[in-house]
Amino acid sequence: MKKIAQKTLLSLLALSAFESASALDSGAQSLTTTIGATDYFKITCAGDTDHLNFKLFEGGVTAASILIPESPPILPQILNATLTKLKLTTTTSAIAAGTNKDVTLKGRNGAYTLTLDTFGTNLTLKTAQTYSVQYQCLNAAKIVTTGSSTLVKLGIESATKTLANNKTAKYAINCTEKTDSLKVKIINKTAAVKPISPVIPVVSASSGNLTAQVIKGANAQNTIDDVLDVQEGNGDYSLMVNSPINAAKTYSFQYSCLNTKNVEAKTSPFQILQNQ
Amino acid sequence: MKRFLFLMLMSLPVCGFAHDLSGDLGEAASATDYMMIYCSADGSITADKLYFQISSDSSSSASLVSAQITKNNFATNITDLINGDANSSRVAEIAGGEGAYRVTINKNGVGKASYSFVYHCESNEGEHAETTDSSLQNN
């Protein structure tokens, strides 16, 4: 069973050998060892097409081996924690997904308020963040005193909570017994988002084990690895891919209907006429 | 520059007659000779298929010469796997009936190459049907 994938890898493929400012369409396909095996396609160009630009690559669709510009880093999801007691306040900002930070406020005995928010987080990431909290009331010698909260008992990590973007959570913590300060550890348990690795065709040049022909009207051109420009205007272009040695090969190709200024005209997705 | 030598020409209504042509492909890997072969009935003999076989005549060529024949939505490729020897490619028999068969001839690398090929339209019984051709491109 042949794997057929038709993709429009516009931005990725535009980074390869072509200099035109056009978007490129592409196809990925495989050729079997059937004697005379030929894959046969139709590509329709419209608009103000002057020529069809085409290139053949040996190899299937796999992890990229070509250089692509480095994407801007994905901003993380973060939490901010603020401790307040009367007019005293302290804040720890940007507790990123998968990390933790402490926030401490010297407020002596009494009721503290812990406020958590998501200000500054990456709002394109819609999943609510998860976190837990652990706190200690400490005396001047940093010895644990006593305290209580509706959130969790002193010194114990709370159950995992969730906080959606643009939301705020508040907890009351009450410290007693000659407390000097309250120390709260906020653990952001949100899974860190990893950049998505693009999947694009391997762009090795054909070694001659594969050839492709582009035909329109009375114009027929053959290619191994050179870029073809078949100048026949609008209409249907025939494309064949075959192997002189009947090799089982995966391959990909990219094409674009271009006008006289090498700007993308109207390029249709290719149509498979024969798949061998 | 291509040379087309008509060794036996078209449309002889004799069963078993073939048509031979030869030509050259230029230096560029993109070089493609392109022709149409037209099959039609010859009296009571129907044109059911096209018979086609190609031979690479350049023993010094590093590139393999191939031909692609298409009719409607069918396409096939034939290649002479050894240049300059006595053997030709496999025979392609394209059962496309009457009408125009598109033939392209090319190679899988740079360098000049010479080739020759045999073709004719025939019935399912192997009788020779009306066969004509026209060259569209010669490079």
Side-chain angles (χ1 to χ4, degrees):
Chain A
M1 189 74 173
K2 281 206 320 189
K3 182 183 176 184
I4 299 173
Q6 181 172 351
K7 300 183 176 189
T8 302
L9 302 174
L10 302 177
S11 57
L12 296 175
L13 290 170
L15 300 167
S16 60
F18 293 86
E19 293 181 352
S20 73
S22 64
L24 297 169
D25 288 344
S26 70
Q29 180 71 288
S30 60
L31 202 63
T32 68
T33 55
T34 302
I35 293 174
T38 297
D39 287 347
Y40 190 16
F41 309 93
K42 181 173 78 174
I43 298 169
T44 302
C45 292
D48 60 345
T49 296
D50 173 69
H51 59 280
L52 176 69
N53 181 282
F54 174 86
K55 186 169 176 62
L56 174 71
F57 302 101
E58 277 191 20
V61 175
T62 180
S65 61
I66 63 171
L67 292 174
I68 59 174
E70 191 170 320
S71 301
I74 296 176
L75 296 172
Q77 288 183 291
I78 59 170
L79 294 173
N80 307 298
T82 301
L83 270 180
T84 56
K85 184 171 185 291
L86 299 176
K87 293 183 179 179
L88 301 174
T89 185
T90 186
T91 298
T92 291
S93 301
I95 307 167
T99 67
N100 65 79
K101 284 186 179 179
D102 293 339
V103 57
T104 302
L105 180 64
K106 292 181 70 168
R108 302 195 175 193
N109 288 347
Y112 294 75
T113 299
L114 169 66
T115 304
L116 299 175
D117 65 61
T118 65
F119 182 77
T121 203
N122 181 359
L123 296 177
T124 64
L125 303 173
K126 305 295 185 185
T127 306
Q129 296 183 69
T130 55
Y131 66 92
S132 63
V133 170
Q134 187 174 3
Y135 68 92
Q136 290 179 319
C137 299
L138 304 170
N139 64 20
K142 306 299 179 189
I143 304 298
V144 176
T145 58
T146 57
S148 62
S149 171
T150 54
L151 175 63
V152 66
K153 290 182 179 178
L154 181 143
I156 298 174
E157 183 179 340
S158 72
T160 299
K161 305 285 186 179
T162 61
L163 188 62
N165 292 343
N166 299 317
K167 297 293 184 181
T168 300
K170 289 190 176 185
Y171 302 100
I173 300 171
N174 191 41
C175 289
T176 56
E177 196 190 353
K178 297 183 179 179
T179 292
D180 178 64
S181 63
L182 171 63
K183 178 181 177 183
V184 181
K185 181 179 186 179
I186 297 96
I187 306 159
N188 189 340
K189 294 186 168 182
T190 309
V193 176
K194 296 178 180 178
I196 299 171
S197 298
V199 176
I200 58 176
V202 164
V203 289
S204 57
S206 172
S207 61
N209 293 328
L210 285 176
T211 56
Q213 300 82 39
V214 179
I215 305 168
K216 186 173 188 298
N219 189 351
Q221 294 188 36
N222 181 65
T223 185
I224 303 163
D225 58 1
D226 293 330
V227 175
L228 288 184
D229 284 309
V230 182
Q231 190 174 12
E232 289 295 332
N234 288 343
D236 295 337
Y237 290 73
S238 297
L239 164 65
M240 289 183 284
V241 179
N242 31 60
S243 171
I245 58 171
N246 289 323
K249 286 284 182 182
T250 56
Y251 63 89
S252 56
F253 56 86
Q254 57 191 36
Y255 64 96
S256 187
C257 303
L258 303 176
N259 66 17
T260 54
K261 297 178 180 175
N262 277 335
V263 175
E264 173 82 7
K266 189 174 181 181
T267 307
S268 71
F270 66 83
Q271 181 181 343
I272 300 174
L273 302 178
Q274 176 176 283
N275 178 15
Q276 292 183 329
Chain B
M1 191 62 144
K2 178 178 167 185
R3 59 188 161 86
F4 267 113
L5 300 176
F6 287 73
L7 302 180
M8 277 186 282
L9 282 179
M10 314 165 280
S11 308
L12 293 178
V14 180
C15 178
F17 268 41
H19 304 258
D20 297 350
L21 287 174
S22 61
D24 296 326
L25 288 167
E27 184 77 18
S30 62
T32 300
D33 287 349
Y34 180 18
M35 67 181 296
M36 303 296 286
I37 298 174
Y38 303 96
C39 292
S40 57
D42 185 358
S44 61
I45 301 172
T46 58
D48 297 315
K49 57 188 177 181
L50 173 67
Y51 174 107
F52 196 98
Q53 187 178 35
I54 194 164
S55 179
S56 173
D57 301 331
S58 307
S59 57
S60 60
S61 173
S63 300
L64 299 176
V65 174
S66 299
Q68 300 81 39
I69 304 106
T70 61
K71 177 89 166 35
N72 301 327
N73 289 340
F74 175 81
T76 192
N77 179 76
I78 57 173
T79 303
D80 184 358
L81 295 173
I82 301 175
N83 293 325
D85 69 350
N87 298 319
S88 300
S89 72
R90 70 180 178 93
V91 171
E93 290 189 301
I94 302 96
E98 295 185 355
Y101 291 73
R102 186 169 63 186
V103 178
T104 49
I105 299 170
N106 33 57
K107 50 193 168 57
N108 67 338
V110 296
K112 294 179 179 178
S114 299
Y115 64 87
S116 56
F117 58 91
V118 179
Y119 66 99
H120 60 260
C121 307
E122 61 184 29
S123 67
N124 286 330
E125 290 72 35
E127 300 168 299
H128 192 280
E130 182 81 13
T131 306
T132 58
D133 66 79
S134 65
S135 175
L136 298 177
Q137 180 176 285
N138 176 14
N139 58 22

